[in-house]
Amino acid sequence: MDYQQFKVQAQDILQIDLNSYKEQQMQRRILQWITRHKLLDFAGLLKEIHTDVQHRDKFLDYLTINTSHFYRDVNVFRYLDEQILSVLSKNKSSRVWSAGCSIGAEVYSIVILMLERRMTASQVLATDIDEVILTKAKQGIYAA
């Protein structure tokens, strides 16, 4: 079984589309998982995540990369502030959606930029496939 076949069958089991991730990075991570857990190949991993709920949950946690911090990519936030929010600020209120929000630091960063422009967010939606990390985002508690 090759990686393309694995992705199709894994989507049925995991309910996530691995095509949404950078292919080389994701394939490398999955192969590392296979090696670390002494599985033979993609087919062996599929069998394991299909039959062992604990293994499936651990594998999902491994796949969902929760890397986030405030103003994570300075250039992106500069562009967002100068090119997007500067135009939207005329409206004074906008909606924000952060898909794959992880711990929420980036969506809070956007709201901070909006507040600095005296804008309000009429609706803030932050979503993530990882329910545990989403709970942390909802709490909004961060280390100094």
Side-chain angles (χ1 to χ4, degrees):
M1 170 181 294
D2 67 9
Y3 182 62
Q4 299 304 319
Q5 294 167 317
F6 170 80
K7 289 191 301 185
V8 171
Q9 292 184 37
Q11 184 171 357
D12 291 337
I13 298 168
L14 303 172
Q15 301 301 304
I16 61 171
D17 184 359
L18 296 176
N19 291 309
S20 301
Y21 296 87
K22 293 180 182 174
E23 184 151 334
Q24 280 184 318
Q25 179 183 9
M26 186 55 66
Q27 186 173 359
R28 184 182 69 248
R29 287 178 59 79
I30 292 170
L31 288 171
Q32 287 171 346
W33 181 270
I34 288 170
T35 301
R36 187 175 304 146
H37 292 273
K38 297 178 177 44
L39 302 169
L40 296 177
D41 52 20
F42 291 122
L45 176 56
L46 279 174
K47 181 180 177 191
E48 194 70 22
I49 62 176
H50 183 71
T51 59
D52 184 338
V53 174
Q54 287 182 336
H55 192 103
R56 179 174 50 241
D57 290 345
K58 288 178 184 176
F59 181 64
L60 268 172
D61 283 344
Y62 177 75
L63 288 184
T64 54
I65 304 163
N66 292 310
T67 301
S68 183
H69 53 82
F70 286 87
Y71 303 97
R72 184 172 125 195
D73 186 327
V74 175
N75 292 327
V76 169
F77 279 94
R78 184 177 300 119
Y79 180 84
L80 176 66
D81 185 39
E82 294 171 0
Q83 303 299 318
I84 309 289
L85 294 180
S86 64
V87 173
L88 293 177
S89 66
K90 295 173 185 134
N91 299 335
K92 293 296 179 198
S93 179
S94 294
R95 297 183 306 181
V96 176
W97 176 25
S98 176
C101 72
S102 186
I103 62 169
E106 293 173 1
V107 72
Y108 284 113
S109 299
I110 294 169
V111 173
I112 290 168
L113 287 175
M114 292 176 73
L115 291 172
E116 288 173 346
R117 287 190 168 272
R118 308 226 185 294
M119 296 174 66
T120 59
S122 61
Q123 180 183 25
V124 177
L125 177 62
T127 58
D128 199 288
I129 192 170
D130 186 334
E131 293 292 331
V132 173
I133 208 74
L134 191 57
T135 299
K136 291 180 182 182
K138 287 178 187 177
Q139 293 169 346
I141 300 172
Y142 303 94

